[in-house]
Amino acid sequence: MINVEKNKNLKEYNTFGIDVNTKLYINIENTIDILESIKFIKNENITNIFVLGGGSNILFMGTFNGLILHINTRGINIISENDKEVYIKAEAGEKWNNLIQFCIEHNFWGLENLSMIPGKVGSSPVQNIGAYGTEVKDVIYELDAYDIFSGEKKIFKNKDCDFGYRRSIFKDKLRNKFIISSVTYKLSKIPKPNISYKGLGEELQKSGGDIYNINDIFKSVCKIRNTKLPNPDIIGNAGSFFKNPLVSSSKLADILREFPDVVYFIQDDGKVKLAAAWLIEKCGWKGKSWGNAAIYEKQPLVLINKGGASSQEIMNLANKIIEDVYSKFDVELEIEVNIVAS
Ligand code: FAD
Ligand code: EPU
């Protein structure tokens, strides 16, 4: 039986630590809760719905005037395997790092570079999480999702998800239209270390040798992350607030004429990814504050809550940064974090 809570506080449920309430809230612990919630939505004719995972990629802009469905289902299962591959199905509310731990313990390769990303399994496809040369789209086989308004269950194969850099169909056309209930990953039993990210290779070399096991990679990724990213249990934040902008090669040529040291990465499709951290630092913002919001001193892509920040303070700071980067480089920064309007 679902329990519909009223005026629930969400401060503990978003890593920015924004102190806001939601009008209605349902804690989802199993499939029956999903189906009963869908019935409730239909009966009450509710249209403003937000599906919440670990709250590590969102910014609530004020009291949420609708219904929050908080996904807390659990379970990680091997559904099939052979000598080379394994298919793992994880429930959407399972903590991402429990899945990572499971894979490290079993020597299942594919997710290790994504260690220590906060949040839950069900959110991993939403923005196609990525870090240290890996994106989760590389190992997602399929996912199950419920249409919030019709209750119909649908299987999305990898190609149906329209994955791209920090995006998928669920962050775009189907935003707030489906509840992802589980994700199936196709992982390798054969070691497949991906050390293409420069800093990761360097960190691994420090540990000696040139053959790495999955635990070496896990530990090195955690070490790098601990030096660069704030722990959300201590400092309120939602990871990179902005995406790294993708520009054309002619745009890059214009920037290079004035700023020969700009940091960029050429993509497979010929586009160029600029390091937003570099652009923001060059505008002089690194470590600066704006009221109770600030830019993390070790990584300017990350905006932080110094304590008691309002979402408006964080957005004001973000808008200042966007304006400055635009006027200095003629490049538009796009926000990565999901802004949740009331
Ligand atoms: P939430 O913030 O709860 O939700 C994110 C979005 O997904 C929302 O739009 C929500 O509606 C939707 N959603 C959530 N669950 C479901 C579901 N079951 N069905 C349908 N929609 C759903 N991200 C990276 O990609 N790479 C990183 O390296 C990285 N590092 C981070 C470091 C820190 C310190 C922090 C705080 C964040 C970082 N992030 C990173 C961002 C974030 O952790 C990821 O995007 C993560 O996947 C979000 O998971 P969540 O469960 O907290 O999602
Ligand atoms: N840089 C600076 N100044 C700094 C920090 C970095 O100029 O203070 C430059 C450096 O030249 C560096 C480059 O920016 O080479 C890139 O920095 P880094 O490798 O730290 O990664 P990022 O591009 O800032 C991205 C993701 C992170 C992910 C890391 C590691 C985005 C928006 N962010 O950050 O993801 O963990 O790479 O792969 O793509 C997230 O999405 O929330 C997130 C944290």
Side-chain angles (χ1 to χ4, degrees), residues 15 50-58 71 92 117-120 122-123 126-127 129-131 166 176 178-180 225 229-230 232 237-239 336 338:
T15 61
F50 186 77
V51 185
L52 179 64
S56 64
N57 202 25
I58 54 173
I71 311 298
I117 296 180
K120 304 215 168 145
S123 326
V126 174
Q127 74 154 2
I129 55 170
R166 291 297 187 275
N176 294 330
F178 277 85
I179 301 168
I180 296 169
R225 293 186 74 93
L229 294 162
N237 79 96
E336 176 194 297
N338 298 282

Side-chain angles (χ1 to χ4, degrees), residues 64-106:
F64 186 69
N65 256 316
L67 169 66
I68 298 268
L69 299 175
H70 196 187
I71 311 298
N72 285 306
T73 51
R74 306 297 288 265
I76 301 173
N77 293 293
I78 296 174
I79 52 165
S80 76
E81 60 185 315
N82 58 34
D83 291 348
K84 295 189 190 124
E85 289 156 351
V86 57
Y87 291 80
I88 312 269
K89 187 170 186 168
E91 299 304 310
E94 191 63 66
K95 280 193 178 158
W96 179 251
N97 284 299
N98 289 348
L99 176 62
I100 294 286
Q101 209 53 52
F102 180 90
C103 294
I104 305 292
E105 278 164 16
H106 288 80

Side-chain angles (χ1 to χ4, degrees), residues 199-239:
L200 181 56
E202 285 166 6
E203 185 57 48
L204 279 158
Q205 268 168 10
K206 282 189 212 158
S207 59
D210 53 9
I211 298 171
Y212 311 115
N213 65 37
I214 200 162
N215 206 37
D216 294 333
I217 298 195
F218 168 74
K219 280 200 205 138
S220 294
V221 167
C222 293
K223 209 162 164 197
I224 297 172
R225 293 186 74 93
N226 280 328
T227 62
K228 287 191 183 182
L229 294 162
N231 176 350
D233 291 339
I234 301 167
I235 300 174
N237 79 96

